[in-house]
Amino acid sequence: MAPRKNFRNQAKKEVKPAAVVNKNGVKVEASVAASGGGFSGTKIFTWFMVLALLGVWSSVAVVWFDLVDYDNVIERAKEFRFNFSEVLQGKLSAYDADGDGDFDVEDAKVLLGLKERPVSVLLREAKEDYAVKEPDDSRDEATHPYEDENNAIDTKGELVEKAQPQQTVEESKQYNNQPGSYNNQPGSPETKETVQLRYNAEAESVPEPEADVEPEVESVPEPEADVEPEVESVPELEAEFVPELKAKKKKPKLLNKFEKTIKTEIDAAEKLRKKGKVEEAVRAFETLVLQYPQSPRCRYGKALAEDGLAEKMLSNDMLQKAIGTYKEASELPNATPDLIKATLKKRAERQQFLGRMRGALATLEKLVQIFPEDMALKNDLGVAHLLIGDNNSAKRVYEEVLATAPSDGFAKVHYGFILKSENKIAESIPFLRDGLESGDPGTDDGRFYFHLGDALQRMGDDSAYKWYERGHQRGHFASVWQRSLYNVDGLKAQPWWTPKDTGYMDLVKTLERNWRIIRDEAQSVMDKTTGLFVPEEENLREKGEWGQFTLWQQGKKAGESCRSVPKTCGLLERYPEATGCKRGQIKFSVMQPGTHVWPHTGPTNCRLRMHLGLVIPKTGCKIRCTNDTRAWEEGKVLIFDDSFEHEVWQDADSYRLIFIVDVWHPELTQYQRQTLSPI
């Protein structure tokens, strides 16, 4: 202890300490600087070790007891974007918004929003972010060569995104002739309906969220991310229909050899797009396209950014520009097979979105020509034929798919769907059933449950209700009885209604007070030689004759028809709940003896249907809605919700004549009535 005591005392006196002997027995003199003292080399090392050990154990304690929130520290460091040395030096380079190396008036303009930031700065910052979060994962081409057409194609054709062609469909006239037709998103409720698909920026045409949300642009596939199929959870009774997890999808190879050398620049621009900064992403990709005009990936990124900007702006013109850029990217030399496929698939989807069905068909035909072994692309091509009403071509496509891939569930349900539309009821059942049981993507669709159950009912098979129940459990139907597909959630649902329930008492009284006038006008145009009554065309009859004479359709007046029955039309003009019902009709209906109408449901829960009895035989005519059967009376109005299952028999000795008036569901708001798309 003496040396330490001498050190302290003698340091103050600035004198030399006495000689000491170290642990090895060697005499050592400690020199003291005249300026104020010092340490020996040994003691300096000792203190250094003490401090080092204290630091180590402090670090251990911090980590062990979780004393510091490192994530928060890192986030704050990123937020401020400047370092300690800059603060000490008084620099403001962190606020250099225009990239010129200092802070000046131009930087202030940028920070105040009076001037846009240069693309070069945006790209530089995006690169910095990307370097932190997304390290370069490019692969060596020699180790992972581009596969040929056969090997590069997944058997389901989903290298970039799930093949869901039916998610961007719009109405096909040929497929509107029966409820649940191939014209809506798969099993979609009204909140996802896409009957009207084109962008429209006018407020009155944008549906209210609770009624009919504006059509959403499908999410863009992330070019550098693995895509895995999702498996929906289902109740225990549906366990046997849960598809097995598919193998993890291969990452698409979108970069050619040269583009791997500029991957950082591409990723920086892509980062802007993924963050939703679509305007900046468009500018960034435009810069890259100017710099690398022969880069397919840069042009594909530009198309994706323009696509996103079109969604943000609700601009058809911008979307059309993106469609053109997709085409340019696919036609550049050295585009990888995966990029060609991704680009043309996206182009076809957006063409369908704009209603350019024949253009989409041409794009898909080109895809199938390039990738003939890809069954998913052929399935998409079949849907494209369906959307323009070309059933025969669609049928041929699905026959080709099933000849090559007999277990393809998507092809099976669509082929069964086509067979049923041809009234080949028995033949359609195994295809619809096997396709649904496959659990393949695109098969879990309300339309297929609808048509399988309907086919089974027509064959007298009670298992139809088992499939309706499954469709209900999967969320496609409101209930086993109520199986409409174009629905607004939350509306009161009951099969039979009274005039008081509807709130349309005045309309009902007008119809019942004037029923003889309406009857006489209807009978005056029933002469078959006039051709005004046309046969029912929805394939709903098992047998018999059923004719209809329409006055209003989808909220539009049939002027020529109303000139034949002016008094009837005049009575209805002041009731917009009926004449303005875009999801209904106003028509006369005549049914001859010996007619039976299959159990069926209407397409939407947005309307109620009134039947005014005009000529009703004493016996033999009845209508069932769910499990409640009723009969018409002359001069009286029956009201029911035709989205529930109903069935009609005409077993009398003479014709039955009624007047059908569809009205909006009373709980729909005025806004909903104005914005819901026609059916």
Side-chain angles (χ1 to χ4, degrees), residues 23 82 107 116 134 206 227 263 278 288 306 309 361 378 393 414 418 475 485 498 585 611 651 659 665 673 678:
K23 62 181 180 180
F82 56 81
D107 297 306
E116 291 186 345
E134 298 184 20
V206 179
V227 181
K263 184 177 185 296
V278 287
L288 290 176
E306 290 169 345
L309 184 58
L361 178 64
K378 286 190 176 181
S393 294
H414 285 81
I418 294 169
L485 295 177
T498 66
Q585 302 166 311
H611 281 189
D651 296 322
F659 188 44
H665 192 291
R673 298 180 190 196

Side-chain angles (χ1 to χ4, degrees), residues 90 96 245 287-288 367 595 621:
D96 175 20
L245 285 172
T287 299
L288 290 176
L367 263 172
T595 300
C621 294

